[in-house]
Amino acid sequence: MRISETAHTCRSWRIHEIAHDFRVEDVWALPTPGGPDDFARLVRQTATLNESTLRSPSARALFAIRHRLGALFGLDDPDSGVGARVPTLRDRLPADLRDAQAGPDFETPSFTPVYLTDDEWAAELANRTVHTVLHLGWVPDGAGGYRGQMAVLVKPNGLFGTAYMAAIAPFRHLVVYPALMHAIAQRWRDEPRP
């Protein structure tokens, strides 16, 4: 379920001090009910998600189109990524986060972990259109349990990046995110707790 931006901004996440120049694009309450110690499970499951885990043919088709366009126009060339076009957010980390484990690597090489705490994980991606942060948090659900919360923060690359984000917004909200939420919920139900 998509939720208000303030559900992310009102919390004292560490990401606020690190990505203060990024805008909050989307915030989602994740279908991952659990207890106080289940955040590591969410992080592990998220790191293994990719397009092939999405059951929606429409979502998979959109990813395929995006990959083809990215190759055609050089949107994802190595010189446009983290450490090339933009510095990594790890360079902004305070010592306690820089010295700690960043979290698991993604199975697909798109996102790079930035930092991991007991209730927060951030990963970043950059290309010719945006520098983006995927932020996961573990929050009380109001009923005595916990659930995941996902925020997507972006820093568009100029007018082209801003136009790109506006153009893909309907596809993200109507096709990609619903398929992703379904995949997250199914994996959460199907994989046993450790």
Side-chain angles (χ1 to χ4, degrees):
M1 174 174 70
R2 192 168 178 206
I3 56 178
S4 76
E5 178 181 319
T6 57
H8 173 77
T9 58
C10 75
R11 297 193 177 276
S12 57
W13 299 122
R14 302 293 299 272
I15 195 65
H16 299 316
E17 65 191 85
I18 296 153
H20 52 83
D21 51 342
F22 285 63
R23 76 171 189 242
V24 177
E25 187 73 18
D26 294 301
V27 183
W28 294 83
L30 299 179
T32 54
D37 300 324
D38 284 331
F39 184 57
R41 177 179 170 213
L42 177 61
V43 169
R44 179 182 47 76
Q45 288 182 357
T46 301
T48 60
L49 283 174
N50 58 50
E51 296 100 76
S52 68
T53 60
L54 302 178
R55 289 191 166 190
S56 165
S58 300
R60 287 196 311 273
L62 284 173
F63 276 107
I65 291 167
R66 170 55 182 85
H67 290 308
R68 284 190 194 109
L69 291 174
L72 180 65
F73 295 109
L75 299 179
D76 304 312
D77 288 349
D79 67 342
S80 69
V82 172
R85 186 180 70 77
V86 296
T88 177
L89 290 176
R90 285 197 57 80
D91 293 344
R92 298 180 180 188
L93 295 180
D96 66 316
L97 293 178
R98 189 174 41 252
D99 295 340
Q101 181 187 10
D105 289 328
F106 282 75
E107 286 188 2
T108 57
S110 54
F111 279 92
T112 304
V114 177
Y115 70 90
L116 174 67
T117 69
D118 291 339
D119 64 353
E120 189 177 357
W121 185 44
E124 65 183 328
L125 169 144
N127 55 38
R128 293 219 187 282
T129 60
V130 295
H131 186 185
T132 188
V133 175
L134 171 67
H135 180 270
L136 290 182
W138 196 240
V139 298
D141 65 6
Y146 289 79
R147 64 162 173 77
Q149 182 171 294
M150 180 180 79
V152 177
L153 295 83
V154 298
K155 189 183 210 182
N157 186 14
L159 291 175
F160 175 65
T162 301
Y164 173 83
M165 291 303 295
I168 69 168
F171 301 103
R172 281 193 341 264
H173 295 137
L174 297 174
V175 179
V176 175
Y177 282 131
L180 180 62
M181 293 304 128
H182 180 76
I184 290 169
Q186 182 169 352
R187 184 173 279 190
W188 193 259
R189 283 189 313 266
D190 294 349
E191 288 188 13
R193 293 175 72 179

